PDB file of all heavy atoms in Angstrom:
ATOM      1  N   ASP Q 235       9.785 -75.634  12.279  1.00 98.00           N
ATOM      2  CA  ASP Q 235      10.483 -74.666  13.157  1.00 98.00           C
ATOM      3  C   ASP Q 235       9.685 -73.380  13.245  1.00 98.00           C
ATOM      4  O   ASP Q 235       9.477 -72.673  12.237  1.00 98.00           O
ATOM      5  CB  ASP Q 235      11.871 -74.379  12.521  1.00 98.00           C
ATOM      6  CG  ASP Q 235      12.830 -73.701  13.535  1.00 98.00           C
ATOM      7  OD1 ASP Q 235      12.320 -72.953  14.390  1.00 98.00           O
ATOM      8  OD2 ASP Q 235      14.016 -73.916  13.440  1.00 98.00           O
ATOM      9  N   ILE Q 236       9.294 -73.006  14.463  1.00 99.00           N
ATOM     10  CA  ILE Q 236       8.522 -71.755  14.628  1.00 99.00           C
ATOM     11  C   ILE Q 236       9.378 -70.539  14.287  1.00 99.00           C
ATOM     12  O   ILE Q 236       8.876 -69.504  13.857  1.00 99.00           O
ATOM     13  CB  ILE Q 236       7.938 -71.656  16.050  1.00 99.00           C
ATOM     14  CG1 ILE Q 236       6.850 -70.577  16.114  1.00 99.00           C
ATOM     15  CG2 ILE Q 236       8.998 -71.450  17.112  1.00 99.00           C
ATOM     16  CD1 ILE Q 236       5.965 -70.588  17.328  1.00 99.00           C
ATOM     17  N   SER Q 237      10.701 -70.712  14.377  1.00 98.00           N
ATOM     18  CA  SER Q 237      11.579 -69.562  14.027  1.00 98.00           C
ATOM     19  C   SER Q 237      11.549 -69.304  12.517  1.00 98.00           C
ATOM     20  O   SER Q 237      11.664 -68.187  12.088  1.00 98.00           O
ATOM     21  CB  SER Q 237      13.024 -69.873  14.469  1.00 98.00           C
ATOM     22  OG  SER Q 237      13.058 -70.022  15.870  1.00 98.00           O
ATOM     23  N   SER Q 238      11.356 -70.364  11.729  1.00 98.00           N
ATOM     24  CA  SER Q 238      11.200 -70.189  10.280  1.00 98.00           C
ATOM     25  C   SER Q 238       9.787 -69.759   9.966  1.00 98.00           C
ATOM     26  O   SER Q 238       9.539 -68.895   9.096  1.00 98.00           O
ATOM     27  CB  SER Q 238      11.526 -71.515   9.543  1.00 98.00           C
ATOM     28  OG  SER Q 238      12.893 -71.816   9.726  1.00 98.00           O
ATOM     29  N   ALA Q 239       8.799 -70.328  10.685  1.00 99.00           N
ATOM     30  CA  ALA Q 239       7.409 -69.967  10.475  1.00 99.00           C
ATOM     31  C   ALA Q 239       7.193 -68.478  10.732  1.00 99.00           C
ATOM     32  O   ALA Q 239       6.338 -67.831  10.086  1.00 99.00           O
ATOM     33  CB  ALA Q 239       6.500 -70.784  11.398  1.00 99.00           C
ATOM     34  N   ALA Q 240       7.970 -67.913  11.664  1.00 99.00           N
ATOM     35  CA  ALA Q 240       7.784 -66.489  12.036  1.00 99.00           C
ATOM     36  C   ALA Q 240       7.833 -65.561  10.831  1.00 99.00           C
ATOM     37  O   ALA Q 240       7.100 -64.560  10.757  1.00 99.00           O
ATOM     38  CB  ALA Q 240       8.859 -66.081  13.048  1.00 99.00           C
ATOM     39  N   PHE Q 241       8.710 -65.851   9.845  1.00 99.00           N
ATOM     40  CA  PHE Q 241       8.799 -64.987   8.652  1.00 99.00           C
ATOM     41  C   PHE Q 241       7.501 -65.026   7.844  1.00 99.00           C
ATOM     42  O   PHE Q 241       7.048 -63.999   7.342  1.00 99.00           O
ATOM     43  CB  PHE Q 241       9.984 -65.393   7.811  1.00 99.00           C
ATOM     44  CG  PHE Q 241      11.284 -65.250   8.566  1.00 99.00           C
ATOM     45  CD1 PHE Q 241      11.943 -66.370   9.135  1.00 99.00           C
ATOM     46  CD2 PHE Q 241      11.854 -64.010   8.761  1.00 99.00           C
ATOM     47  CE1 PHE Q 241      13.072 -66.247   9.893  1.00 99.00           C
ATOM     48  CE2 PHE Q 241      13.030 -63.886   9.513  1.00 99.00           C
ATOM     49  CZ  PHE Q 241      13.631 -64.978  10.067  1.00 99.00           C
ATOM     50  N   PHE Q 242       6.908 -66.221   7.782  1.00 99.00           N
ATOM     51  CA  PHE Q 242       5.634 -66.364   7.055  1.00 99.00           C
ATOM     52  C   PHE Q 242       4.479 -65.784   7.837  1.00 99.00           C
ATOM     53  O   PHE Q 242       3.509 -65.254   7.260  1.00 99.00           O
ATOM     54  CB  PHE Q 242       5.412 -67.840   6.671  1.00 99.00           C
ATOM     55  CG  PHE Q 242       6.301 -68.220   5.511  1.00 99.00           C
ATOM     56  CD1 PHE Q 242       7.655 -68.525   5.722  1.00 99.00           C
ATOM     57  CD2 PHE Q 242       5.801 -68.253   4.211  1.00 99.00           C
ATOM     58  CE1 PHE Q 242       8.453 -68.849   4.637  1.00 99.00           C
ATOM     59  CE2 PHE Q 242       6.607 -68.578   3.147  1.00 99.00           C
ATOM     60  CZ  PHE Q 242       7.957 -68.892   3.349  1.00 99.00           C
ATOM     61  N   LEU Q 243       4.532 -65.888   9.163  1.00 99.00           N
ATOM     62  CA  LEU Q 243       3.483 -65.254   9.997  1.00 99.00           C
ATOM     63  C   LEU Q 243       3.431 -63.783   9.754  1.00 99.00           C
ATOM     64  O   LEU Q 243       2.393 -63.198   9.462  1.00 99.00           O
ATOM     65  CB  LEU Q 243       3.727 -65.562  11.495  1.00 99.00           C
ATOM     66  CG  LEU Q 243       3.577 -66.990  11.982  1.00 99.00           C
ATOM     67  CD1 LEU Q 243       3.998 -67.103  13.454  1.00 99.00           C
ATOM     68  CD2 LEU Q 243       2.144 -67.487  11.787  1.00 99.00           C
ATOM     69  N   VAL Q 244       4.592 -63.129   9.880  1.00 99.00           N
ATOM     70  CA  VAL Q 244       4.637 -61.664   9.734  1.00 99.00           C
ATOM     71  C   VAL Q 244       4.302 -61.269   8.281  1.00 99.00           C
ATOM     72  O   VAL Q 244       3.559 -60.339   8.041  1.00 99.00           O
ATOM     73  CB  VAL Q 244       5.980 -61.063  10.193  1.00 99.00           C
ATOM     74  CG1 VAL Q 244       6.026 -59.546   9.961  1.00 99.00           C
ATOM     75  CG2 VAL Q 244       6.213 -61.391  11.687  1.00 99.00           C
ATOM     76  N   ALA Q 245       4.799 -62.070   7.323  1.00 99.00           N
ATOM     77  CA  ALA Q 245       4.519 -61.785   5.920  1.00 99.00           C
ATOM     78  C   ALA Q 245       3.009 -61.747   5.668  1.00 99.00           C
ATOM     79  O   ALA Q 245       2.452 -60.813   5.106  1.00 99.00           O
ATOM     80  CB  ALA Q 245       5.184 -62.796   5.024  1.00 99.00           C
ATOM     81  N   ALA Q 246       2.302 -62.781   6.173  1.00 99.00           N
ATOM     82  CA  ALA Q 246       0.848 -62.861   5.979  1.00 99.00           C
ATOM     83  C   ALA Q 246       0.132 -61.738   6.713  1.00 99.00           C
ATOM     84  O   ALA Q 246      -0.841 -61.190   6.214  1.00 99.00           O
ATOM     85  CB  ALA Q 246       0.345 -64.212   6.431  1.00 99.00           C
ATOM     86  N   LEU Q 247       0.614 -61.409   7.918  1.00 99.00           N
ATOM     87  CA  LEU Q 247      -0.025 -60.345   8.661  1.00 99.00           C
ATOM     88  C   LEU Q 247       0.065 -59.008   7.920  1.00 99.00           C
ATOM     89  O   LEU Q 247      -0.865 -58.195   7.983  1.00 99.00           O
ATOM     90  CB  LEU Q 247       0.615 -60.196  10.068  1.00 99.00           C
ATOM     91  CG  LEU Q 247       0.331 -61.372  11.010  1.00 99.00           C
ATOM     92  CD1 LEU Q 247       1.238 -61.302  12.230  1.00 99.00           C
ATOM     93  CD2 LEU Q 247      -1.141 -61.343  11.437  1.00 99.00           C
ATOM     94  N   LEU Q 248       1.136 -58.793   7.211  1.00 98.00           N
ATOM     95  CA  LEU Q 248       1.375 -57.486   6.583  1.00 98.00           C
ATOM     96  C   LEU Q 248       0.637 -57.301   5.261  1.00 98.00           C
ATOM     97  O   LEU Q 248       0.371 -56.174   4.837  1.00 98.00           O
ATOM     98  CB  LEU Q 248       2.867 -57.244   6.326  1.00 98.00           C
ATOM     99  CG  LEU Q 248       3.800 -57.198   7.548  1.00 98.00           C
ATOM    100  CD1 LEU Q 248       5.183 -56.672   7.130  1.00 98.00           C
ATOM    101  CD2 LEU Q 248       3.209 -56.311   8.633  1.00 98.00           C
ATOM    102  N   VAL Q 249       0.302 -58.421   4.563  1.00 98.00           N
ATOM    103  CA  VAL Q 249      -0.222 -58.308   3.229  1.00 98.00           C
ATOM    104  C   VAL Q 249      -1.765 -58.484   3.229  1.00 98.00           C
ATOM    105  O   VAL Q 249      -2.244 -59.568   3.600  1.00 98.00           O
ATOM    106  CB  VAL Q 249       0.412 -59.342   2.276  1.00 98.00           C
ATOM    107  CG1 VAL Q 249      -0.148 -59.214   0.858  1.00 98.00           C
ATOM    108  CG2 VAL Q 249       1.924 -59.165   2.260  1.00 98.00           C
ATOM    109  N   PRO Q 250      -2.515 -57.441   2.851  1.00 98.00           N
ATOM    110  CA  PRO Q 250      -3.967 -57.511   2.898  1.00 98.00           C
ATOM    111  C   PRO Q 250      -4.517 -58.741   2.147  1.00 98.00           C
ATOM    112  O   PRO Q 250      -4.001 -59.092   1.075  1.00 98.00           O
ATOM    113  CB  PRO Q 250      -4.410 -56.216   2.200  1.00 98.00           C
ATOM    114  CG  PRO Q 250      -3.261 -55.260   2.451  1.00 98.00           C
ATOM    115  CD  PRO Q 250      -2.029 -56.129   2.421  1.00 98.00           C
ATOM    116  N   GLY Q 251      -5.488 -59.364   2.753  1.00 98.00           N
ATOM    117  CA  GLY Q 251      -6.168 -60.518   2.126  1.00 98.00           C
ATOM    118  C   GLY Q 251      -5.457 -61.838   2.335  1.00 98.00           C
ATOM    119  O   GLY Q 251      -5.971 -62.890   1.909  1.00 98.00           O
ATOM    120  N   SER Q 252      -4.337 -61.849   3.007  1.00 98.00           N
ATOM    121  CA  SER Q 252      -3.539 -63.064   3.127  1.00 98.00           C
ATOM    122  C   SER Q 252      -4.135 -64.038   4.154  1.00 98.00           C
ATOM    123  O   SER Q 252      -4.728 -63.648   5.158  1.00 98.00           O
ATOM    124  CB  SER Q 252      -2.109 -62.770   3.596  1.00 98.00           C
ATOM    125  OG  SER Q 252      -1.443 -62.026   2.627  1.00 98.00           O
ATOM    126  N   GLU Q 253      -3.955 -65.322   3.861  1.00 98.00           N
ATOM    127  CA  GLU Q 253      -4.273 -66.346   4.849  1.00 98.00           C
ATOM    128  C   GLU Q 253      -3.376 -67.570   4.561  1.00 98.00           C
ATOM    129  O   GLU Q 253      -3.369 -68.079   3.458  1.00 98.00           O
ATOM    130  CB  GLU Q 253      -5.725 -66.764   4.765  1.00 98.00           C
ATOM    131  CG  GLU Q 253      -6.028 -67.907   5.731  1.00 98.00           C
ATOM    132  CD  GLU Q 253      -7.525 -68.211   5.889  1.00 98.00           C
ATOM    133  OE1 GLU Q 253      -8.372 -67.379   5.515  1.00 98.00           O
ATOM    134  OE2 GLU Q 253      -7.799 -69.317   6.416  1.00 98.00           O
ATOM    135  N   LEU Q 254      -2.595 -67.969   5.580  1.00 99.00           N
ATOM    136  CA  LEU Q 254      -1.694 -69.103   5.399  1.00 99.00           C
ATOM    137  C   LEU Q 254      -1.973 -70.170   6.441  1.00 99.00           C
ATOM    138  O   LEU Q 254      -2.305 -69.827   7.593  1.00 99.00           O
ATOM    139  CB  LEU Q 254      -0.226 -68.684   5.521  1.00 99.00           C
ATOM    140  CG  LEU Q 254       0.393 -67.783   4.460  1.00 99.00           C
ATOM    141  CD1 LEU Q 254       1.807 -67.403   4.844  1.00 99.00           C
ATOM    142  CD2 LEU Q 254       0.349 -68.475   3.087  1.00 99.00           C
ATOM    143  N   LEU Q 255      -1.842 -71.420   6.053  1.00 99.00           N
ATOM    144  CA  LEU Q 255      -1.897 -72.542   7.007  1.00 99.00           C
ATOM    145  C   LEU Q 255      -0.490 -73.111   7.107  1.00 99.00           C
ATOM    146  O   LEU Q 255       0.028 -73.603   6.097  1.00 99.00           O
ATOM    147  CB  LEU Q 255      -2.903 -73.573   6.508  1.00 99.00           C
ATOM    148  CG  LEU Q 255      -2.926 -74.891   7.310  1.00 99.00           C
ATOM    149  CD1 LEU Q 255      -3.373 -74.712   8.750  1.00 99.00           C
ATOM    150  CD2 LEU Q 255      -3.859 -75.903   6.612  1.00 99.00           C
ATOM    151  N   LEU Q 256       0.111 -72.998   8.260  1.00 99.00           N
ATOM    152  CA  LEU Q 256       1.490 -73.480   8.480  1.00 99.00           C
ATOM    153  C   LEU Q 256       1.365 -74.783   9.294  1.00 99.00           C
ATOM    154  O   LEU Q 256       0.928 -74.753  10.444  1.00 99.00           O
ATOM    155  CB  LEU Q 256       2.344 -72.437   9.166  1.00 99.00           C
ATOM    156  CG  LEU Q 256       2.352 -71.057   8.493  1.00 99.00           C
ATOM    157  CD1 LEU Q 256       3.176 -70.069   9.320  1.00 99.00           C
ATOM    158  CD2 LEU Q 256       2.889 -71.119   7.058  1.00 99.00           C
ATOM    159  N   LYS Q 257       1.774 -75.869   8.697  1.00 98.00           N
ATOM    160  CA  LYS Q 257       1.528 -77.206   9.271  1.00 98.00           C
ATOM    161  C   LYS Q 257       2.625 -77.641  10.248  1.00 98.00           C
ATOM    162  O   LYS Q 257       3.829 -77.313  10.069  1.00 98.00           O
ATOM    163  CB  LYS Q 257       1.492 -78.255   8.171  1.00 98.00           C
ATOM    164  CG  LYS Q 257       0.546 -77.940   7.028  1.00 98.00           C
ATOM    165  CD  LYS Q 257      -0.825 -78.560   7.219  1.00 98.00           C
ATOM    166  CE  LYS Q 257      -0.761 -80.069   7.134  1.00 98.00           C
ATOM    167  NZ  LYS Q 257      -2.115 -80.619   7.391  1.00 98.00           N
ATOM    168  N   ASP Q 258       2.217 -78.406  11.238  1.00 98.00           N
ATOM    169  CA  ASP Q 258       3.132 -79.142  12.162  1.00 98.00           C
ATOM    170  C   ASP Q 258       4.169 -78.272  12.849  1.00 98.00           C
ATOM    171  O   ASP Q 258       5.348 -78.648  12.969  1.00 98.00           O
ATOM    172  CB  ASP Q 258       3.969 -80.197  11.374  1.00 98.00           C
ATOM    173  CG  ASP Q 258       3.162 -81.123  10.545  1.00 98.00           C
ATOM    174  OD1 ASP Q 258       1.952 -81.269  10.814  1.00 98.00           O
ATOM    175  OD2 ASP Q 258       3.718 -81.754   9.611  1.00 98.00           O
ATOM    176  N   VAL Q 259       3.754 -77.097  13.289  1.00 98.00           N
ATOM    177  CA  VAL Q 259       4.743 -76.172  13.920  1.00 98.00           C
ATOM    178  C   VAL Q 259       4.937 -76.520  15.400  1.00 98.00           C
ATOM    179  O   VAL Q 259       3.941 -76.697  16.105  1.00 98.00           O
ATOM    180  CB  VAL Q 259       4.278 -74.707  13.743  1.00 98.00           C
ATOM    181  CG1 VAL Q 259       5.288 -73.751  14.379  1.00 98.00           C
ATOM    182  CG2 VAL Q 259       4.092 -74.352  12.260  1.00 98.00           C
ATOM    183  N   CYS Q 260       6.173 -76.553  15.816  1.00 98.00           N
ATOM    184  CA  CYS Q 260       6.481 -76.791  17.230  1.00 98.00           C
ATOM    185  C   CYS Q 260       5.967 -75.593  18.030  1.00 98.00           C
ATOM    186  O   CYS Q 260       6.395 -74.475  17.793  1.00 98.00           O
ATOM    187  CB  CYS Q 260       7.971 -76.969  17.439  1.00 98.00           C
ATOM    188  SG  CYS Q 260       8.406 -77.212  19.154  1.00 98.00           S
ATOM    189  N   VAL Q 261       5.046 -75.825  18.994  1.00 98.00           N
ATOM    190  CA  VAL Q 261       4.517 -74.736  19.802  1.00 98.00           C
ATOM    191  C   VAL Q 261       4.906 -74.956  21.279  1.00 98.00           C
ATOM    192  O   VAL Q 261       4.130 -74.626  22.181  1.00 98.00           O
ATOM    193  CB  VAL Q 261       2.983 -74.563  19.618  1.00 98.00           C
ATOM    194  CG1 VAL Q 261       2.698 -73.938  18.265  1.00 98.00           C
ATOM    195  CG2 VAL Q 261       2.237 -75.899  19.786  1.00 98.00           C
TER     196      VAL Q 261
END
Side-chain angles (χ1 to χ4, degrees):
D235 197 329
I236 195 165
S237 299
S238 295
F241 299 100
F242 284 78
L243 291 175
V244 177
L247 290 168
L248 297 191
V249 180
S252 297
E253 177 169 345
L254 292 177
L255 171 63
L256 307 178
K257 307 267 293 177
D258 307 340
V259 180
C260 179
V261 287

